[in-house]
Amino acid sequence: MSDEPFWRVKRLDEMTKQEWEQLCDGCAKCCLVKLEDEETDELIYTDVGCDLLEAGTCRCTDYPNRNKRVPDCIPLTPDNIEDIDWMPPSCAYRRLKEGRGLAWWHPLRSGEYHTVIEAGMSVQGRFTYESDMKGDIEDHEASWPFDDEDELGDEADD
């Protein structure tokens, strides 16, 4: 048995369900509404979050039933991760898929859930609920889910 953490020795499709779930850093950027420009196919993030998102913890309030209650919710799985291109650069699933390690603030590295929030990587305090949204969704474009690329910190820096 290796002394290395599972995310360094296993491919995403080799992970157990528990290991897969532990990769989620709890940033909730995937819970933001995303738009696609029909002319350019460009992905546009908004600052509008799913109504099931709990603002304080950045966790889903009905995780087991999320894609039944929110038809647009697309759960990440080892089977679909290769086809999903809308995860932000800070996402652990994307980072591992691209051959990068986990960022220093990821709970599996820091040992603390709150480092995601302290590092400014979560949506906490930065979104409005879909049901509370004012104006058109197009008026809520947000670049900050991608602004953190230079602050990610590679695992190789250990």
Side-chain angles (χ1 to χ4, degrees):
M1 191 77 186
S2 173
D3 288 339
E4 289 289 315
F6 70 88
W7 65 89
R8 288 186 181 162
V9 296
K10 289 185 175 183
R11 293 187 327 257
L12 290 169
D13 64 351
E14 296 175 325
M15 293 182 185
T16 66
K17 182 170 175 48
Q18 180 182 8
E19 290 168 340
W20 178 265
E21 294 294 328
Q22 287 178 335
L23 285 181
C24 177
D25 58 34
C27 73
K29 291 176 185 175
C30 61
C31 298
L32 296 174
V33 175
K34 292 158 282 302
L35 306 172
E36 185 174 357
D37 185 305
E38 292 179 13
E39 293 176 14
T40 66
D41 291 332
E42 176 188 6
L43 180 69
I44 301 166
Y45 264 77
T46 70
D47 64 359
V48 177
C50 172
D51 285 332
L52 293 180
L53 182 58
E54 202 286 313
T57 63
C58 294
R59 297 288 181 178
C60 184
T61 58
D62 194 7
Y63 189 75
N65 300 305
R66 67 196 183 280
N67 51 323
K68 290 178 188 158
R69 293 187 56 195
V70 181
D72 290 342
C73 180
I74 301 173
L76 292 177
T77 68
D79 294 331
N80 70 8
I81 191 67
E82 289 300 322
D83 299 324
I84 293 179
D85 60 358
W86 44 261
M87 300 306 290
S90 58
C91 174
Y93 299 102
R94 178 174 173 175
R95 290 176 62 88
L96 293 180
K97 179 175 97 168
E98 294 173 350
R100 299 181 290 147
L102 299 181
W104 66 266
W105 45 264
H106 192 287
L108 287 172
R109 291 204 47 217
S110 70
E112 302 289 336
Y113 172 75
H114 60 84
T115 53
V116 177
I117 296 166
E118 289 173 359
M121 294 297 170
S122 82
V123 302
Q124 190 180 63
R126 300 169 89 175
F127 75 97
T128 188
Y129 287 107
E130 238 175 323
S131 58
D132 295 337
M133 181 183 74
K134 306 283 189 243
D136 295 327
I137 189 74
E138 292 83 5
D139 297 334
H140 289 268
E141 185 174 341
S143 62
W144 56 262
F146 290 96
D147 287 347
D148 51 23
E149 283 190 78
D150 294 333
E151 303 299 323
L152 295 177
D154 286 333
E155 192 170 75
D157 292 340
D158 281 350

